[in-house]
Amino acid sequence: MHIFGGLRMLLLQAVLLLLVLPSRGQDTPTKEPGVQLPLPKGVCTGWVAGIPGHPGHNGTPGRDGRDGTPGEKGEKGDAGLIGPKGDTGETGVTGVEGPRGFPGVQGRKGEPGESAYVYRSAFSVGLETRVTVPNVPIRFTKIFYNQQNHYDDTTGKFHCNIPGLYYFSYHITVYLKDMKVSLYKKDKAVLFTFDKYQDQDLDQASGSVLLHLEMGDQVWLQVYGEGENNGLYADNVNDSTFTGFLLYHDTN
């Protein structure tokens, strides 16, 4: 192994020597007697190849290269998680009115409504004479209004022809005696009015009430008690009146 190593080194030296010697055809200096020619540049006397050195350190990194051309579009990734609900945005501009739609389906028939017929029942009458009899209906024969004829001036009673709620009132002139009258419904007094007469003076007494009446009920005024409370009065300038009218009828 040492022999082959020595031959290899000699062969390598010979090759290097040939490389540094001038090639054939080149001018060579004339060898003068007694003058030693210098060795070619780069050739050392007794040159022997040394042991290979250690690898050098890594050089500094080079500059970044140019951007490459865009690659092909990748495949669509998986859908991400649903994010939180965002804030409500501002109201947009009202759009253009759309075309008119088709007519809808006809609705169901409604419930029957109340009759358009207007129910009327009213009267207003006055006293024509001061002659009244106690404990019997007072006959008001001076008719102001009795278009439906629900008041009977021959008996002094109002007859209910339309069930419902009624309003009754009376205004009495009192003279010469005390006065006490009662408003009756079906033979029962429901309202009393008393006035004590003052000498040489005309007094006024009045009363009013709401009553619900059924068909056939009767309402009237009469002097309550005996003749000592019979101070009703009327003449051409002083009236005693009795009035009643229907507020609204029963729907049943």
Side-chain angles (χ1 to χ4, degrees), residues 56-69:
H57 297 288
N58 293 333
T60 58
R63 294 180 300 174
D64 293 340
R66 297 179 180 178
D67 295 337
T69 57

Side-chain angles (χ1 to χ4, degrees), residues 119-122 162-167 244-250:
Y119 294 88
R120 293 185 176 91
S121 179
I162 304 172
L165 184 66
Y166 287 79
Y167 175 79
F245 54 86
L246 173 69
L247 286 177
Y248 58 83
H249 70 285
D250 290 346

Side-chain angles (χ1 to χ4, degrees), residues 6-245:
L7 292 176
R8 185 180 300 172
M9 293 297 295
L10 293 176
L11 182 60
L12 180 60
Q13 291 177 3
V15 172
L16 292 174
L17 182 61
L18 291 176
L19 290 175
V20 299
L21 291 177
S23 62
R24 188 180 302 177
Q26 292 180 343
D27 295 334
T28 59
T30 305
K31 182 178 180 182
E32 296 180 1
V35 178
Q36 187 177 358
L37 294 175
L39 291 175
K41 185 179 182 180
V43 178
C44 297
T45 305
W47 177 87
V48 179
I51 300 172
H54 295 287
H57 297 288
N58 293 333
T60 58
R63 294 180 300 174
D64 293 340
R66 297 179 180 178
D67 295 337
T69 57
E72 296 182 359
K73 184 177 181 180
E75 297 181 358
K76 184 177 180 179
D78 297 332
L81 299 176
I82 299 176
K85 183 177 179 181
D87 297 333
T88 303
E90 297 180 358
T91 304
V93 180
T94 303
V96 181
E97 184 178 357
R100 184 175 181 180
F102 296 102
V105 180
Q106 184 176 1
R108 296 181 300 174
K109 185 177 180 180
E111 299 293 334
E114 294 187 6
S115 173
Y117 178 79
V118 178
Y119 294 88
R120 293 185 176 91
S121 179
F123 72 96
S124 184
V125 292
L127 190 66
E128 288 187 301
T129 176
R130 60 181 300 269
V131 177
T132 55
V133 179
N135 296 318
V136 295
I138 301 171
R139 292 179 57 218
F140 294 88
T141 56
K142 186 177 182 179
I143 306 300
F144 299 110
Y145 180 87
N146 191 28
Q147 186 173 354
Q148 294 80 34
N149 292 317
H150 293 168
Y151 173 78
D152 186 356
D153 62 345
T154 62
T155 62
K157 294 182 179 182
F158 168 78
H159 297 264
C160 176
N161 289 269
I162 304 172
L165 184 66
Y166 287 79
Y167 175 79
F168 295 96
S169 66
Y170 50 86
H171 181 85
I172 305 297
T173 299
V174 181
Y175 185 57
L176 298 179
K177 291 183 179 182
D178 296 341
M179 187 277 305
K180 187 175 183 179
V181 295
S182 299
L183 186 140
Y184 280 77
K185 171 189 172 184
K186 295 195 307 183
D187 295 324
K188 182 178 180 181
V190 295
L191 185 65
F192 296 90
T193 299
F194 175 78
D195 181 80
K196 186 171 182 61
Y197 173 68
Q198 303 295 326
D199 292 341
Q200 306 299 319
D201 195 8
L202 289 173
D203 290 342
Q204 306 291 332
S206 62
S208 60
V209 67
L210 285 173
L211 294 176
H212 181 269
L213 302 181
E214 301 290 347
M215 178 72 75
D217 287 348
Q218 297 178 347
V219 178
W220 68 90
L221 279 177
Q222 73 181 36
V223 174
Y224 189 81
E226 301 301 327
E228 66 273 10
N229 294 321
N230 188 11
L232 278 75
Y233 180 80
D235 57 24
N236 58 344
V237 294
N238 295 283
D239 286 302
S240 292
T241 61
F242 181 33
T243 299
F245 54 86

